[in-house]
Structures are given as structure tokens and as C-alpha cells.
Amino acid sequence: FRRLPATWPRLEPLPPRVAAIALTANVVAWAGYGWALVCLTRGLLPGTALGWATATSVFTASYLVGLIVLLAPAGLGPRESLFILLLAPELGTKAAVALAVASRLLLTATELGAALPFAAGRWGAEPGATTAPRHE
């Protein structure tokens, strides 16, 4: 706290219950990403078996590498490279590349689909204007 400006309010630690809820929510989210990759594999490559634990591990590791590599926008390149390196021994290179590309496209479409409605509301606003609701 000595390094923070004196004008900042004192930072309080998270209550253990809140930290436990946040941890649980993150575990559920990452497990869901793994399950989504299993479903993508089944839909894209019928007859190809990818276990949930492998899918979750590969997705999580590749996502985090993409997040850490700051020079690659959205982790483009490093994420897919690790994805392929981890899956190629189990599924083969062609299947791993197909899943890496499909995962990137699906994740990008999902993120854009979630963000565009909010961005669209701001595109029509004048520069510097807020989009907060007006109370009349």
C-alpha cells in the first residue's frame, strides 16, 4: 500500500466466499470451453475421438499462450501453433490444423457477435457523447 498514491482508497482483500465463487465460475467456464472443443471436433471431424480432458487442456494452454504473446494481435499465430503442436500427435496434423482454424473462426464469430450490438449503438453517437439512458 505504500507504493500506491495516498488519494487511492484502501484496497480490501476479497472475502473467501467471493474468491471461491470466482474460482468455481472460472473452472466451469474453462470446462465449458473444453466441452465446446469436443463438440466442434465431433461436428467437424466425425469419427475422430477427442477426450474432454485433452480438449480442455489444449484449449486452455493455447488460449493462455495467445494471451501472453503481446506482439500477436488476439494471439493470432502462437495460439494456433500450440493448438496444432498439442493435437497433431493424437489426431494427425491435418485434423489438428482444421480444428485450430475452425476454433479461431468460431471464437472470433462468437466474440464479434457479442460485441457488435454494443458497438453499433456507439457508432451512431456523436463524438464525446455518452450512451447512458436519458431520464425525462
mmCIF file of all heavy atoms in Angstrom, residues 28-56:
data_model
loop_
_atom_site.group_PDB
_atom_site.id
_atom_site.type_symbol
_atom_site.label_atom_id
_atom_site.label_comp_id
_atom_site.label_asym_id
_atom_site.label_seq_id
_atom_site.Cartn_x
_atom_site.Cartn_y
_atom_site.Cartn_z
ATOM 1 N N VAL A 28 -15.784 -23.745 -14.220
ATOM 2 C CA VAL A 28 -16.938 -24.117 -15.052
ATOM 3 C C VAL A 28 -16.765 -23.557 -16.473
ATOM 4 O O VAL A 28 -17.029 -24.262 -17.462
ATOM 5 C CB VAL A 28 -18.257 -23.623 -14.413
ATOM 6 C CG1 VAL A 28 -19.421 -23.734 -15.378
ATOM 7 C CG2 VAL A 28 -18.533 -24.391 -13.132
ATOM 8 N N ALA A 29 -16.297 -22.325 -16.590
ATOM 9 C CA ALA A 29 -16.110 -21.717 -17.915
ATOM 10 C C ALA A 29 -15.067 -22.482 -18.725
ATOM 11 O O ALA A 29 -15.296 -22.808 -19.895
ATOM 12 C CB ALA A 29 -15.702 -20.254 -17.770
ATOM 13 N N TRP A 30 -13.921 -22.781 -18.123
ATOM 14 C CA TRP A 30 -12.874 -23.495 -18.859
ATOM 15 C C TRP A 30 -13.310 -24.912 -19.189
ATOM 16 O O TRP A 30 -12.980 -25.437 -20.258
ATOM 17 C CB TRP A 30 -11.550 -23.464 -18.103
ATOM 18 C CG TRP A 30 -10.925 -22.097 -18.166
ATOM 19 C CD1 TRP A 30 -10.857 -21.193 -17.158
ATOM 20 C CD2 TRP A 30 -10.345 -21.472 -19.313
ATOM 21 N NE1 TRP A 30 -10.256 -20.038 -17.613
ATOM 22 C CE2 TRP A 30 -9.937 -20.184 -18.917
ATOM 23 C CE3 TRP A 30 -10.140 -21.873 -20.624
ATOM 24 C CZ2 TRP A 30 -9.326 -19.295 -19.807
ATOM 25 C CZ3 TRP A 30 -9.523 -20.979 -21.500
ATOM 26 C CH2 TRP A 30 -9.123 -19.717 -21.091
ATOM 27 N N ALA A 31 -14.050 -25.538 -18.307
ATOM 28 C CA ALA A 31 -14.596 -26.877 -18.605
ATOM 29 C C ALA A 31 -15.555 -26.779 -19.789
ATOM 30 O O ALA A 31 -15.586 -27.669 -20.650
ATOM 31 C CB ALA A 31 -15.306 -27.445 -17.382
ATOM 32 N N GLY A 32 -16.319 -25.716 -19.842
ATOM 33 C CA GLY A 32 -17.235 -25.490 -20.968
ATOM 34 C C GLY A 32 -16.494 -25.283 -22.281
ATOM 35 O O GLY A 32 -16.922 -25.773 -23.332
ATOM 36 N N TYR A 33 -15.387 -24.557 -22.244
ATOM 37 C CA TYR A 33 -14.577 -24.395 -23.447
ATOM 38 C C TYR A 33 -14.065 -25.745 -23.932
ATOM 39 O O TYR A 33 -14.018 -26.010 -25.133
ATOM 40 C CB TYR A 33 -13.385 -23.466 -23.199
ATOM 41 C CG TYR A 33 -13.723 -22.004 -23.148
ATOM 42 C CD1 TYR A 33 -13.303 -21.212 -22.075
ATOM 43 C CD2 TYR A 33 -14.438 -21.384 -24.169
ATOM 44 C CE1 TYR A 33 -13.595 -19.863 -22.025
ATOM 45 C CE2 TYR A 33 -14.734 -20.033 -24.123
ATOM 46 C CZ TYR A 33 -14.304 -19.279 -23.050
ATOM 47 O OH TYR A 33 -14.594 -17.956 -23.001
ATOM 48 N N GLY A 34 -13.657 -26.600 -22.996
ATOM 49 C CA GLY A 34 -13.198 -27.933 -23.368
ATOM 50 C C GLY A 34 -14.313 -28.740 -24.008
ATOM 51 O O GLY A 34 -14.119 -29.401 -25.041
ATOM 52 N N TRP A 35 -15.488 -28.686 -23.409
ATOM 53 C CA TRP A 35 -16.632 -29.411 -23.970
ATOM 54 C C TRP A 35 -17.001 -28.860 -25.347
ATOM 55 O O TRP A 35 -17.342 -29.610 -26.260
ATOM 56 C CB TRP A 35 -17.819 -29.355 -23.014
ATOM 57 C CG TRP A 35 -18.981 -30.136 -23.534
ATOM 58 C CD1 TRP A 35 -20.190 -29.652 -23.911
ATOM 59 C CD2 TRP A 35 -19.037 -31.546 -23.773
ATOM 60 N NE1 TRP A 35 -20.990 -30.667 -24.366
ATOM 61 C CE2 TRP A 35 -20.303 -31.846 -24.299
ATOM 62 C CE3 TRP A 35 -18.127 -32.579 -23.604
ATOM 63 C CZ2 TRP A 35 -20.692 -33.128 -24.650
ATOM 64 C CZ3 TRP A 35 -18.517 -33.861 -23.954
ATOM 65 C CH2 TRP A 35 -19.783 -34.123 -24.470
ATOM 66 N N ALA A 36 -16.918 -27.553 -25.519
ATOM 67 C CA ALA A 36 -17.202 -26.952 -26.824
ATOM 68 C C ALA A 36 -16.221 -27.447 -27.883
ATOM 69 O O ALA A 36 -16.601 -27.704 -29.028
ATOM 70 C CB ALA A 36 -17.149 -25.433 -26.729
ATOM 71 N N LEU A 37 -14.956 -27.626 -27.500
ATOM 72 C CA LEU A 37 -13.975 -28.147 -28.450
ATOM 73 C C LEU A 37 -14.271 -29.604 -28.788
ATOM 74 O O LEU A 37 -14.116 -30.023 -29.943
ATOM 75 C CB LEU A 37 -12.550 -27.989 -27.907
ATOM 76 C CG LEU A 37 -11.428 -28.440 -28.841
ATOM 77 C CD1 LEU A 37 -11.504 -27.724 -30.189
ATOM 78 C CD2 LEU A 37 -10.081 -28.206 -28.184
ATOM 79 N N VAL A 38 -14.712 -30.374 -27.814
ATOM 80 C CA VAL A 38 -15.120 -31.761 -28.089
ATOM 81 C C VAL A 38 -16.271 -31.756 -29.096
ATOM 82 O O VAL A 38 -16.266 -32.519 -30.069
ATOM 83 C CB VAL A 38 -15.528 -32.497 -26.792
ATOM 84 C CG1 VAL A 38 -16.198 -33.827 -27.101
ATOM 85 C CG2 VAL A 38 -14.319 -32.709 -25.895
ATOM 86 N N CYS A 39 -17.256 -30.893 -28.878
ATOM 87 C CA CYS A 39 -18.407 -30.813 -29.790
ATOM 88 C C CYS A 39 -17.977 -30.343 -31.179
ATOM 89 O O CYS A 39 -18.462 -30.866 -32.190
ATOM 90 C CB CYS A 39 -19.460 -29.867 -29.222
ATOM 91 S SG CYS A 39 -20.271 -30.484 -27.742
ATOM 92 N N LEU A 40 -17.078 -29.369 -31.247
ATOM 93 C CA LEU A 40 -16.571 -28.900 -32.535
ATOM 94 C C LEU A 40 -15.861 -30.029 -33.271
ATOM 95 O O LEU A 40 -16.045 -30.212 -34.483
ATOM 96 C CB LEU A 40 -15.615 -27.717 -32.332
ATOM 97 C CG LEU A 40 -14.989 -27.128 -33.589
ATOM 98 C CD1 LEU A 40 -16.061 -26.536 -34.503
ATOM 99 C CD2 LEU A 40 -13.961 -26.077 -33.216
ATOM 100 N N THR A 41 -15.080 -30.813 -32.529
ATOM 101 C CA THR A 41 -14.370 -31.946 -33.133
ATOM 102 C C THR A 41 -15.363 -32.962 -33.687
ATOM 103 O O THR A 41 -15.213 -33.442 -34.818
ATOM 104 C CB THR A 41 -13.454 -32.626 -32.102
ATOM 105 O OG1 THR A 41 -12.548 -31.649 -31.579
ATOM 106 C CG2 THR A 41 -12.665 -33.759 -32.717
ATOM 107 N N ARG A 42 -16.384 -33.278 -32.921
ATOM 108 C CA ARG A 42 -17.389 -34.252 -33.378
ATOM 109 C C ARG A 42 -18.136 -33.745 -34.604
ATOM 110 O O ARG A 42 -18.471 -34.514 -35.493
ATOM 111 C CB ARG A 42 -18.381 -34.550 -32.261
ATOM 112 C CG ARG A 42 -17.771 -35.364 -31.145
ATOM 113 C CD ARG A 42 -18.772 -35.618 -30.042
ATOM 114 N NE ARG A 42 -18.155 -36.353 -28.953
ATOM 115 C CZ ARG A 42 -18.750 -36.618 -27.815
ATOM 116 N NH1 ARG A 42 -20.001 -36.226 -27.600
ATOM 117 N NH2 ARG A 42 -18.108 -37.287 -26.880
ATOM 118 N N GLY A 43 -18.421 -32.451 -34.646
ATOM 119 C CA GLY A 43 -19.148 -31.894 -35.779
ATOM 120 C C GLY A 43 -18.290 -31.728 -37.018
ATOM 121 O O GLY A 43 -18.754 -31.948 -38.135
ATOM 122 N N LEU A 44 -17.049 -31.341 -36.830
ATOM 123 C CA LEU A 44 -16.162 -31.074 -37.957
ATOM 124 C C LEU A 44 -15.485 -32.340 -38.482
ATOM 125 O O LEU A 44 -15.288 -32.487 -39.684
ATOM 126 C CB LEU A 44 -15.099 -30.048 -37.538
ATOM 127 C CG LEU A 44 -14.175 -29.504 -38.613
ATOM 128 C CD1 LEU A 44 -14.968 -28.718 -39.647
ATOM 129 C CD2 LEU A 44 -13.103 -28.624 -37.985
ATOM 130 N N LEU A 45 -15.126 -33.225 -37.570
ATOM 131 C CA LEU A 45 -14.395 -34.440 -37.937
ATOM 132 C C LEU A 45 -15.104 -35.662 -37.367
ATOM 133 O O LEU A 45 -14.653 -36.253 -36.383
ATOM 134 C CB LEU A 45 -12.960 -34.370 -37.393
ATOM 135 C CG LEU A 45 -12.135 -33.147 -37.796
ATOM 136 C CD1 LEU A 45 -10.890 -33.040 -36.943
ATOM 137 C CD2 LEU A 45 -11.788 -33.212 -39.266
ATOM 138 N N PRO A 46 -16.244 -36.054 -37.953
ATOM 139 C CA PRO A 46 -16.969 -37.210 -37.430
ATOM 140 C C PRO A 46 -16.054 -38.438 -37.396
ATOM 141 O O PRO A 46 -15.255 -38.658 -38.292
ATOM 142 C CB PRO A 46 -18.120 -37.417 -38.412
ATOM 143 C CG PRO A 46 -18.211 -36.156 -39.191
ATOM 144 C CD PRO A 46 -16.874 -35.510 -39.150
ATOM 145 N N GLY A 47 -16.197 -39.204 -36.357
ATOM 146 C CA GLY A 47 -15.371 -40.394 -36.212
ATOM 147 C C GLY A 47 -14.044 -40.137 -35.527
ATOM 148 O O GLY A 47 -13.306 -41.053 -35.227
ATOM 149 N N THR A 48 -13.722 -38.851 -35.277
ATOM 150 C CA THR A 48 -12.497 -38.506 -34.575
ATOM 151 C C THR A 48 -12.819 -38.345 -33.097
ATOM 152 O O THR A 48 -13.725 -37.598 -32.741
ATOM 153 C CB THR A 48 -11.907 -37.183 -35.120
ATOM 154 O OG1 THR A 48 -11.678 -37.337 -36.508
ATOM 155 C CG2 THR A 48 -10.621 -36.827 -34.421
ATOM 156 N N ALA A 49 -12.107 -39.067 -32.277
ATOM 157 C CA ALA A 49 -12.357 -39.009 -30.835
ATOM 158 C C ALA A 49 -11.357 -38.069 -30.172
ATOM 159 O O ALA A 49 -10.150 -38.204 -30.344
ATOM 160 C CB ALA A 49 -12.246 -40.397 -30.229
ATOM 161 N N LEU A 50 -11.880 -37.116 -29.439
ATOM 162 C CA LEU A 50 -11.054 -36.213 -28.645
ATOM 163 C C LEU A 50 -11.657 -36.190 -27.257
ATOM 164 O O LEU A 50 -12.817 -35.822 -27.081
ATOM 165 C CB LEU A 50 -11.037 -34.803 -29.257
ATOM 166 C CG LEU A 50 -10.197 -33.770 -28.537
ATOM 167 C CD1 LEU A 50 -8.717 -34.161 -28.547
ATOM 168 C CD2 LEU A 50 -10.373 -32.398 -29.172
ATOM 169 N N GLY A 51 -10.883 -36.589 -26.275
ATOM 170 C CA GLY A 51 -11.374 -36.625 -24.907
ATOM 171 C C GLY A 51 -11.534 -35.239 -24.321
ATOM 172 O O GLY A 51 -10.853 -34.284 -24.725
ATOM 173 N N TRP A 52 -12.433 -35.137 -23.340
ATOM 174 C CA TRP A 52 -12.706 -33.845 -22.723
ATOM 175 C C TRP A 52 -11.473 -33.280 -22.023
ATOM 176 O O TRP A 52 -11.181 -32.088 -22.140
ATOM 177 C CB TRP A 52 -13.876 -33.981 -21.728
ATOM 178 C CG TRP A 52 -14.079 -32.739 -20.944
ATOM 179 C CD1 TRP A 52 -14.744 -31.620 -21.336
ATOM 180 C CD2 TRP A 52 -13.580 -32.468 -19.638
ATOM 181 N NE1 TRP A 52 -14.689 -30.666 -20.350
ATOM 182 C CE2 TRP A 52 -13.975 -31.169 -19.294
ATOM 183 C CE3 TRP A 52 -12.826 -33.209 -18.726
ATOM 184 C CZ2 TRP A 52 -13.661 -30.583 -18.079
ATOM 185 C CZ3 TRP A 52 -12.502 -32.630 -17.512
ATOM 186 C CH2 TRP A 52 -12.920 -31.334 -17.198
ATOM 187 N N ALA A 53 -10.737 -34.111 -21.314
ATOM 188 C CA ALA A 53 -9.550 -33.626 -20.590
ATOM 189 C C ALA A 53 -8.503 -33.085 -21.563
ATOM 190 O O ALA A 53 -7.915 -32.024 -21.329
ATOM 191 C CB ALA A 53 -8.962 -34.733 -19.723
ATOM 192 N N THR A 54 -8.303 -33.790 -22.655
ATOM 193 C CA THR A 54 -7.340 -33.326 -23.668
ATOM 194 C C THR A 54 -7.824 -32.033 -24.299
ATOM 195 O O THR A 54 -7.059 -31.080 -24.448
ATOM 196 C CB THR A 54 -7.139 -34.401 -24.758
ATOM 197 O OG1 THR A 54 -6.663 -35.590 -24.137
ATOM 198 C CG2 THR A 54 -6.171 -33.943 -25.824
ATOM 199 N N ALA A 55 -9.085 -31.989 -24.659
ATOM 200 C CA ALA A 55 -9.648 -30.794 -25.285
ATOM 201 C C ALA A 55 -9.533 -29.585 -24.363
ATOM 202 O O ALA A 55 -9.140 -28.496 -24.794
ATOM 203 C CB ALA A 55 -11.104 -31.032 -25.662
ATOM 204 N N THR A 56 -9.854 -29.781 -23.099
ATOM 205 C CA THR A 56 -9.787 -28.677 -22.135
ATOM 206 C C THR A 56 -8.351 -28.209 -21.953
ATOM 207 O O THR A 56 -8.075 -26.999 -21.935
ATOM 208 C CB THR A 56 -10.389 -29.112 -20.786
ATOM 209 O OG1 THR A 56 -11.736 -29.548 -21.002
ATOM 210 C CG2 THR A 56 -10.400 -27.969 -19.789
#
